[in-house]
Amino acid sequence: MDRAARLLLAVDRQDGCCLWCGRRFGALIPPTTDHLVPRLKGGPSITANEVAACRRCNTDRGHTGPIEWLDECRRRPERSPQTAQLVTLLDELDAELDRTGGRRRARQYLTSQLRRLRGRER
Ligand SMILES: [Zn+2]
């Protein structure tokens, strides 16, 4: 599956809305590929690590971790992040990385992000 097809899949999975701000994609708000585990942190270019984000969110997030960025979005009134969807995607990515093995750096990074998330739910 090529990059464009994976992006369409991500848009579909998110019901046509940006994961971080909740705005609906369209001609004025085109979707872009964003990575749950940033590529800089060893995040792979696979479906499970790719989400659809508007250009603004993608640019503003930069290499920020998904949980830190979620917190940041929650603090901003103009953004309504899809939190439940994000948690599901992170769990699925975790399972996928476990299944496929390797990518130790990405796995360690994701584990620390999930720990951060879970630590706060308790
Ligand atoms: Zn957005």
Side-chain angles (χ1 to χ4, degrees), residues 18-36:
C18 173
L19 184 68
W20 307 117
C21 70
R23 291 191 298 169
R24 186 158 291 281
F25 294 121
L28 295 176
I29 307 175
T32 64
T33 300
D34 191 18
H35 296 80
L36 290 172

Side-chain angles (χ1 to χ4, degrees), residues 71-119:
D71 289 344
E72 181 74 28
C73 290
R74 282 168 141 172
R75 279 195 292 270
R76 300 186 190 190
E78 78 278 12
R79 286 196 164 98
S80 39
Q82 305 183 49
T83 305
Q85 171 85 18
L86 173 64
V87 172
T88 301
L89 290 172
L90 289 174
D91 282 337
E92 282 174 5
L93 175 59
D94 192 38
E96 173 72 12
L97 291 180
D98 270 354
R99 197 161 42 235
T100 54
R103 297 182 174 126
R104 205 163 64 112
R105 202 157 146 251
R107 264 160 55 204
Q108 284 173 346
Y109 183 85
L110 181 60
T111 299
S112 76
Q113 287 285 305
L114 286 170
R115 197 174 292 142
R116 191 180 274 259
L117 177 75
R118 305 290 181 222

